Amino acid sequence: MHKDTCRTEKMNFGDKLNRSIFTSGFDIKMPLNKHFITFKLKIKQIKAPLLICCLFFLMGLIYFAITESSTDINTLLLLIFGITDPQTPSMFSQIYTMLWTIVISQVIIALILSSLMEKYNPITTCQISAQIQKDHTVIIGYNHLGERIYQNLKFAEEAYSIIDQNTENVDELVNSGEPVVIGDPTEKNNLIQTGILNCKKAIILSNDTRETITIAYRIRKLNPDCEIFARVFEKKLAQFLQRAPVKATIFSTSDWTIQDIDRWSKSIYGTALVIGNNHMGQKIAELIGNRPKRQVIMVDHFKDEKSPNRKEQSQIATLDTADCTLEYLENSVELRKVTQCFICWNNEEQFTRSLILLTNLVQSYGFIKVYVRIFDKELFSLVKELGGIPFSTSLNAANHLKILMEKKHSKSAFLRINSSEIRYS
């Protein structure tokens, strides 16, 4: 026990040292201090009255420098700010003093209104905060992988902005005052609000093929120099986005996960249950279905038009049901012939059902290896304690992104991720 503790402490220290070495070894532009960003945000919100104030100051400086040339600098400043009267009063100086008071009042009112807007309209404040970012990473799509990327960028104190059209997804970020834009990322104006013109990297995490293409093209037109990383599901789309004019670096989180599943399934025979008719589930079914002495049974409700079309394979059977329980499986499948079960539901609301099915299978059919798709690393230990094997497309993707960006020589916070946190195999 003591040795394990010491080993953990050494790993944590090594990880911290690695982060420190990496940061000092590269010229990474760290984000502006939070208070400085707040200051810039305030200035942007009151720039109109502030500009008028500066013009008035310049006008007073020129006028009083000419008419009161014998005064020292301190007296000159007092005259400009209307605190003292000039030695030779004039109509202009009287009007100037009166208007100066009004201009200062407008600046103060603008500051008060901007503070109220920040408090009662945080969405606008977050959008302005996103737009003023520079040399940052734009995260397009705040899903599980997007959250993981955000956490690592924030931990490494590297600048970022986020855009998602679902308010619920980013609600906590907005309440925290993070640089977030709520809107359709395919629209040019919304992308501009993320600071895309000045970003160094954009990561597209959309699940929609049309969206990915549209976003990638718009980003390249707006910013010819930034690196574009795009998650894709189809090889044809990958080849399309890699070519000019987009020249994006593509990746597939499901393909990365399949590498682990391929390793887990190589020396196993018998029937595999794949529960969940989604992209991940279908890739697992196709992988195992191509193996000799293997049979695959996909179990789910097959009326989801958004799911990719599964290739027809003689070794893959389907069971159409919206209520996948142990009782249903016992009545529909010869569970004694099942050696593996992959629960691939990609909805957090279905995770409770995953745990119930896992528990029942482990208790009644302990010889079946049950793999459960998870979304948060906190659930990793829970699934293992219940006797399952957790896997994830988003959590495991961080390590693969690290390798991908190393190949691109990309100086990013991803390179400072501790791989021991995310390798679950």
Side-chain angles (χ1 to χ4, degrees), residues 321-337:
T321 178
D323 184 26
C324 184
T325 61
L326 179 62
E327 183 180 1
Y328 174 83
L329 292 176
E330 287 176 330
N331 294 328
S332 307
V333 180
E334 291 185 69
L335 290 178
R336 291 294 171 186
K337 294 183 179 180

Side-chain angles (χ1 to χ4, degrees), residues 122-133 136 138-142 160-171 173-174 177-196:
I123 293 177
T124 302
T125 303
C126 290
Q127 289 177 343
I128 296 173
S129 179
Q131 195 169 5
I132 64 176
Q133 300 293 323
H136 60 297
V138 179
I139 303 170
I140 302 164
Y142 193 69
Y160 57 86
S161 67
I162 300 165
I163 179 169
D164 195 286
Q165 57 186 339
N166 192 330
T167 306
E168 293 181 359
N169 289 350
V170 294
D171 188 50
L173 297 179
V174 170
E178 297 286 358
V180 176
V181 175
I182 300 176
D184 185 353
T186 62
E187 294 184 8
K188 178 181 175 181
N189 290 337
N190 289 336
L191 284 174
I192 291 175
Q193 286 184 341
T194 66
I196 201 76

